[in-house]
Amino acid sequence: MARSTLVYRRRWRADAGVQAHLPGLMAALARSPVAAIGGDVATILAELLANLRHAAADTRTVDMQVAVRARGSAAVLIVTDTARGFDPVTAAGAIDPAADSDGVAASGRGLKIVVSLSERQRYRRLAGCNGFACRVRP
Amino acid sequence: MIDFRVSEDAGATALIIRNEYLTQENAAGLPAVIGDHFDPGKGFILDLTAVTFIDSSGLGAIVRAFKDKLIMEGITVRIAAKQVEKLFYITKLDRIFRIETR
């Protein structure tokens, strides 16, 4: 198995939105071995955040741990959160696609973007935490 | 909040967005801004050259702004950032809008 390098790890607060995190994330990615796909990594994180935030509307915490590892020229993105069980890709049908604003991100368009930019997506629920990982295409 | 200015560009209305990011947090106001400046009798340019990052909410706001207009294909979207351009292609919005890259 190829060795991987930790590129970025932070706690994200979903209620702060993605914009607060973008400068730090983009700067870390620009200095990393996966700089060429930094925009794709940031895009996927933004869409996951939108989906998790939407699904966690039960007001429980939606703090997330976000980690990006470089593996060769691809990035492996790992997101964990303690909101209610929710796979942001396969559970998309549970979201009302007619909803405005948040719903636009949380419906088909955002998920199409996640799937288009990544090769593999994996969801696991363990000890009350959601874990989502995907490999971003080089 | 959408930061913008409006200018004339070769007879068309150019709506120049000055936000660096267009995401879930600020995109909701975009349809109203576009609606206020869109004139169906003129060309329309949505200038996103200052936008370096957009998400599906940003794209959704653009689509919502124009979905009730009958001449969506006559609208030009001007883009500079690769990430923004890529999302227009992934979501096939390049088939609806005329994309101009800088």
Side-chain angles (χ1 to χ4, degrees), chain B residues 86-101:
Chain B
K86 190 168 186 175
L87 284 208
F88 271 83
Y89 284 98
I90 285 176
T91 54
K92 297 186 169 55
L93 291 178
D94 60 307
R95 298 181 187 176
I96 295 171
F97 301 109
R98 182 172 166 267
I99 306 297
E100 190 179 295
T101 54

Side-chain angles (χ1 to χ4, degrees), chain A residues 16-20 22-23 39-40 42-43 46-47 50 53 100-102 104-105 109-110 112-113 116-117, chain B residues 21-26 28 52-57 59-61 63-64 82-83 86-87 90-93:
Chain A
V18 71
Q19 292 192 5
L22 279 173
D40 293 356
T43 301
E47 300 302 340
R53 183 182 188 182
D100 226 1
S101 59
D102 281 18
V104 174
R109 191 177 293 116
K112 180 178 166 56
I113 290 168
S116 297
L117 295 176
Chain B
Y21 307 133
L22 197 54
T23 71
Q24 191 178 36
E25 291 149 85
N26 60 350
T52 62
F53 186 88
I54 193 167
D55 69 2
S56 59
S57 293
L59 294 175
V63 171
R64 255 197 334 280
K82 199 173 166 186
Q83 189 268 349
K86 190 168 186 175
L87 284 208
I90 285 176
T91 54
K92 297 186 169 55
L93 291 178

Side-chain angles (χ1 to χ4, degrees), chain B residues 5-16 39 42-43 45 78:
Chain B
R5 71 182 175 85
V6 181
S7 71
E8 285 287 311
D9 188 325
T13 302
L15 180 69
I16 300 159
D39 177 351
K42 289 174 72 174
I45 300 166
R78 197 171 275 165

